[in-house]
Short mmCIF file of all heavy atoms in Angstrom, two decimals:
data_model
loop_
_atom_site.label_atom_id
_atom_site.label_comp_id
_atom_site.label_asym_id
_atom_site.label_seq_id
_atom_site.Cartn_x
_atom_site.Cartn_y
_atom_site.Cartn_z
N TYR V 28 0.86 -1.19 0.02
CA TYR V 28 0.01 0.00 -0.01
C TYR V 28 0.88 1.23 0.00
O TYR V 28 1.75 1.40 0.85
CB TYR V 28 -0.90 -0.01 1.25
CG TYR V 28 -1.70 1.25 1.49
CD1 TYR V 28 -2.68 1.64 0.58
CD2 TYR V 28 -1.51 2.01 2.63
CE1 TYR V 28 -3.44 2.78 0.79
CE2 TYR V 28 -2.26 3.15 2.88
CZ TYR V 28 -3.24 3.53 1.96
OH TYR V 28 -3.98 4.63 2.19
N LYS V 29 0.69 2.15 -0.99
CA LYS V 29 1.49 3.35 -1.09
C LYS V 29 0.60 4.58 -1.27
O LYS V 29 -0.47 4.50 -1.89
CB LYS V 29 2.49 3.23 -2.28
CG LYS V 29 3.50 2.14 -2.12
CD LYS V 29 4.41 2.03 -3.35
CE LYS V 29 5.40 0.91 -3.20
NZ LYS V 29 6.24 0.76 -4.40
N LYS V 30 1.08 5.71 -0.72
CA LYS V 30 0.34 6.99 -0.82
C LYS V 30 1.19 8.00 -1.53
O LYS V 30 2.42 8.01 -1.42
CB LYS V 30 -0.04 7.47 0.55
CG LYS V 30 -1.02 6.59 1.29
CD LYS V 30 -1.18 6.98 2.74
CE LYS V 30 -1.88 8.32 2.90
NZ LYS V 30 -2.16 8.63 4.33
N PHE V 31 0.53 8.90 -2.30
CA PHE V 31 1.22 9.97 -3.07
C PHE V 31 0.45 11.26 -2.90
O PHE V 31 -0.76 11.28 -2.89
CB PHE V 31 1.27 9.58 -4.53
CG PHE V 31 1.85 8.20 -4.83
CD1 PHE V 31 1.02 7.07 -4.78
CD2 PHE V 31 3.19 8.06 -5.12
CE1 PHE V 31 1.53 5.82 -5.02
CE2 PHE V 31 3.70 6.79 -5.38
CZ PHE V 31 2.89 5.67 -5.30
N LEU V 32 1.23 12.36 -2.73
CA LEU V 32 0.61 13.66 -2.58
C LEU V 32 0.15 14.24 -3.91
O LEU V 32 0.80 14.03 -4.94
CB LEU V 32 1.56 14.63 -1.88
CG LEU V 32 1.93 14.31 -0.46
CD1 LEU V 32 2.99 15.28 0.07
CD2 LEU V 32 0.72 14.32 0.45
N PRO V 33 -0.94 15.02 -3.91
CA PRO V 33 -1.39 15.67 -5.16
C PRO V 33 -0.53 16.91 -5.45
O PRO V 33 0.26 17.36 -4.60
CB PRO V 33 -2.83 16.03 -4.83
CG PRO V 33 -2.78 16.33 -3.36
CD PRO V 33 -1.83 15.30 -2.76
N SER V 34 -0.73 17.46 -6.62
CA SER V 34 -0.06 18.74 -6.96
C SER V 34 -0.68 19.85 -6.13
O SER V 34 -1.77 19.73 -5.58
CB SER V 34 -0.21 19.04 -8.46
OG SER V 34 -1.59 19.31 -8.73
N GLU V 35 0.00 20.99 -6.09
CA GLU V 35 -0.49 22.11 -5.33
C GLU V 35 -1.86 22.58 -5.79
O GLU V 35 -2.69 23.00 -5.00
CB GLU V 35 0.52 23.27 -5.41
CG GLU V 35 0.14 24.48 -4.54
CD GLU V 35 1.21 25.57 -4.59
OE1 GLU V 35 2.27 25.32 -5.19
OE2 GLU V 35 0.95 26.65 -4.05
N ASN V 36 -2.11 22.49 -7.11
CA ASN V 36 -3.38 22.95 -7.67
C ASN V 36 -4.56 22.18 -7.17
O ASN V 36 -5.71 22.69 -7.17
CB ASN V 36 -3.36 22.86 -9.20
CG ASN V 36 -2.45 23.91 -9.81
OD1 ASN V 36 -2.20 24.96 -9.23
ND2 ASN V 36 -1.94 23.64 -11.01
N LEU V 37 -4.33 20.95 -6.72
CA LEU V 37 -5.45 20.10 -6.27
C LEU V 37 -5.32 19.75 -4.79
O LEU V 37 -6.13 18.95 -4.27
CB LEU V 37 -5.54 18.82 -7.10
CG LEU V 37 -6.06 19.01 -8.53
CD1 LEU V 37 -5.85 17.75 -9.36
CD2 LEU V 37 -7.55 19.36 -8.48
N SER V 38 -4.38 20.36 -4.09
CA SER V 38 -4.15 19.98 -2.68
C SER V 38 -5.30 20.39 -1.77
O SER V 38 -5.42 19.86 -0.67
CB SER V 38 -2.85 20.59 -2.19
OG SER V 38 -2.89 22.03 -2.27
N SER V 39 -6.15 21.31 -2.23
CA SER V 39 -7.31 21.67 -1.42
C SER V 39 -8.47 20.72 -1.60
O SER V 39 -9.46 20.77 -0.85
CB SER V 39 -7.80 23.10 -1.83
OG SER V 39 -6.84 24.07 -1.51
N PHE V 40 -8.36 19.84 -2.57
CA PHE V 40 -9.45 18.90 -2.89
C PHE V 40 -9.09 17.46 -2.59
O PHE V 40 -9.91 16.67 -2.14
CB PHE V 40 -9.81 19.03 -4.39
CG PHE V 40 -10.31 20.39 -4.76
CD1 PHE V 40 -9.44 21.36 -5.20
CD2 PHE V 40 -11.65 20.67 -4.67
CE1 PHE V 40 -9.92 22.63 -5.55
CE2 PHE V 40 -12.15 21.93 -5.00
CZ PHE V 40 -11.28 22.91 -5.44
N ILE V 41 -7.81 17.07 -2.90
CA ILE V 41 -7.41 15.68 -2.79
C ILE V 41 -6.51 15.48 -1.57
O ILE V 41 -5.50 16.18 -1.44
CB ILE V 41 -6.68 15.20 -4.06
CG1 ILE V 41 -7.63 15.26 -5.27
CG2 ILE V 41 -6.11 13.81 -3.91
CD1 ILE V 41 -6.97 14.93 -6.58
N ASN V 42 -6.87 14.57 -0.74
CA ASN V 42 -6.08 14.22 0.44
C ASN V 42 -4.82 13.49 0.00
O ASN V 42 -3.71 13.83 0.40
CB ASN V 42 -6.90 13.35 1.37
CG ASN V 42 -6.13 12.88 2.58
OD1 ASN V 42 -5.22 13.55 3.03
ND2 ASN V 42 -6.47 11.72 3.09
N CYS V 43 -4.97 12.50 -0.88
CA CYS V 43 -3.84 11.75 -1.40
C CYS V 43 -4.28 10.85 -2.57
O CYS V 43 -5.50 10.61 -2.74
CB CYS V 43 -3.20 10.87 -0.29
SG CYS V 43 -4.24 9.46 0.21
N PHE V 44 -3.31 10.38 -3.34
CA PHE V 44 -3.54 9.28 -4.28
C PHE V 44 -2.96 8.03 -3.56
O PHE V 44 -2.03 8.16 -2.76
CB PHE V 44 -2.79 9.51 -5.58
CG PHE V 44 -3.29 10.68 -6.36
CD1 PHE V 44 -2.61 11.91 -6.30
CD2 PHE V 44 -4.42 10.57 -7.16
CE1 PHE V 44 -3.09 13.00 -7.02
CE2 PHE V 44 -4.88 11.67 -7.89
CZ PHE V 44 -4.21 12.88 -7.82
N TRP V 45 -3.51 6.88 -3.89
CA TRP V 45 -2.95 5.68 -3.27
C TRP V 45 -3.04 4.50 -4.22
O TRP V 45 -3.91 4.48 -5.13
CB TRP V 45 -3.61 5.34 -1.91
CG TRP V 45 -5.09 5.14 -1.91
CD1 TRP V 45 -6.05 6.08 -1.65
CD2 TRP V 45 -5.81 3.92 -2.16
NE1 TRP V 45 -7.32 5.51 -1.71
CE2 TRP V 45 -7.19 4.16 -2.02
CE3 TRP V 45 -5.42 2.61 -2.46
CZ2 TRP V 45 -8.15 3.19 -2.16
CZ3 TRP V 45 -6.38 1.62 -2.64
CH2 TRP V 45 -7.75 1.93 -2.50
N THR V 46 -2.14 3.52 -3.99
CA THR V 46 -2.18 2.31 -4.78
C THR V 46 -2.15 1.14 -3.78
O THR V 46 -1.60 1.23 -2.69
CB THR V 46 -0.97 2.16 -5.71
OG1 THR V 46 0.25 2.20 -4.95
CG2 THR V 46 -0.97 3.31 -6.72
N LEU V 47 -2.78 0.02 -4.20
CA LEU V 47 -2.76 -1.17 -3.39
C LEU V 47 -2.53 -2.36 -4.31
O LEU V 47 -3.22 -2.55 -5.33
CB LEU V 47 -4.08 -1.35 -2.66
CG LEU V 47 -4.20 -2.64 -1.82
CD1 LEU V 47 -3.25 -2.66 -0.65
CD2 LEU V 47 -5.65 -2.84 -1.34
N GLU V 48 -1.54 -3.18 -4.00
CA GLU V 48 -1.25 -4.40 -4.76
C GLU V 48 -1.17 -5.57 -3.79
O GLU V 48 -0.47 -5.53 -2.78
CB GLU V 48 0.07 -4.26 -5.52
CG GLU V 48 0.03 -3.17 -6.60
CD GLU V 48 1.27 -3.15 -7.45
OE1 GLU V 48 2.19 -3.99 -7.21
OE2 GLU V 48 1.39 -2.26 -8.28
N VAL V 49 -1.94 -6.63 -4.12
CA VAL V 49 -1.95 -7.84 -3.29
C VAL V 49 -1.94 -9.04 -4.23
O VAL V 49 -2.76 -9.10 -5.17
CB VAL V 49 -3.21 -7.91 -2.41
CG1 VAL V 49 -3.10 -9.15 -1.47
CG2 VAL V 49 -3.36 -6.63 -1.57
N ALA V 50 -1.01 -9.99 -4.02
CA ALA V 50 -0.91 -11.17 -4.87
C ALA V 50 -2.17 -12.03 -4.67
O ALA V 50 -2.76 -12.06 -3.60
CB ALA V 50 0.33 -11.94 -4.56
N ALA V 51 -2.54 -12.76 -5.72
CA ALA V 51 -3.71 -13.63 -5.66
C ALA V 51 -3.52 -14.68 -4.58
O ALA V 51 -2.41 -15.22 -4.40
CB ALA V 51 -3.93 -14.31 -7.02
N ASP V 52 -4.59 -14.98 -3.86
CA ASP V 52 -4.55 -15.93 -2.77
C ASP V 52 -5.92 -16.62 -2.71
O ASP V 52 -6.92 -15.97 -2.39
CB ASP V 52 -4.21 -15.26 -1.44
CG ASP V 52 -4.13 -16.23 -0.28
OD1 ASP V 52 -4.38 -17.45 -0.50
OD2 ASP V 52 -3.85 -15.78 0.83
N LYS V 53 -5.99 -17.90 -3.04
CA LYS V 53 -7.28 -18.61 -3.05
C LYS V 53 -7.92 -18.64 -1.68
O LYS V 53 -9.11 -18.81 -1.59
CB LYS V 53 -7.06 -20.02 -3.59
CG LYS V 53 -6.69 -20.09 -5.06
CD LYS V 53 -6.58 -21.52 -5.54
CE LYS V 53 -6.21 -21.57 -7.03
NZ LYS V 53 -6.08 -22.98 -7.54
N SER V 54 -7.14 -18.50 -0.64
CA SER V 54 -7.69 -18.54 0.71
C SER V 54 -7.92 -17.17 1.30
O SER V 54 -8.13 -17.02 2.51
CB SER V 54 -6.74 -19.33 1.64
OG SER V 54 -5.49 -18.70 1.73
N ALA V 55 -7.86 -16.14 0.47
CA ALA V 55 -8.05 -14.75 0.97
C ALA V 55 -9.41 -14.61 1.65
O ALA V 55 -10.43 -14.99 1.11
CB ALA V 55 -7.94 -13.76 -0.20
N VAL V 56 -9.38 -14.04 2.86
CA VAL V 56 -10.64 -13.85 3.59
C VAL V 56 -11.24 -12.49 3.27
O VAL V 56 -10.61 -11.64 2.68
CB VAL V 56 -10.37 -13.92 5.13
CG1 VAL V 56 -9.80 -15.28 5.50
CG2 VAL V 56 -9.43 -12.80 5.57
N LYS V 57 -12.49 -12.33 3.61
CA LYS V 57 -13.16 -11.05 3.46
C LYS V 57 -12.41 -10.01 4.29
O LYS V 57 -11.90 -10.31 5.37
CB LYS V 57 -14.61 -11.12 3.92
CG LYS V 57 -15.53 -12.07 3.16
CD LYS V 57 -16.92 -12.02 3.78
CE LYS V 57 -17.82 -13.06 3.18
NZ LYS V 57 -19.15 -13.08 3.85
#
């Protein structure tokens, strides 16, 4: 999980951008 700051022009609107990557897991729980 990673977070990225927005540009100054949008900093009053966007808290952050974020990405999430998780490898496939057949036993993944809710």
Side-chain angles (χ1 to χ4, degrees):
Y28 172 63
K29 295 178 180 176
K30 295 170 68 174
F31 307 85
L32 293 176
S34 67
E35 184 177 353
N36 288 335
L37 287 168
S38 60
S39 295
F40 298 90
I41 296 176
N42 177 30
C43 70
F44 296 99
W45 58 266
T46 60
L47 176 67
E48 295 185 2
V49 185
D52 181 358
K53 292 183 179 180
S54 61
V56 299
K57 297 178 185 177

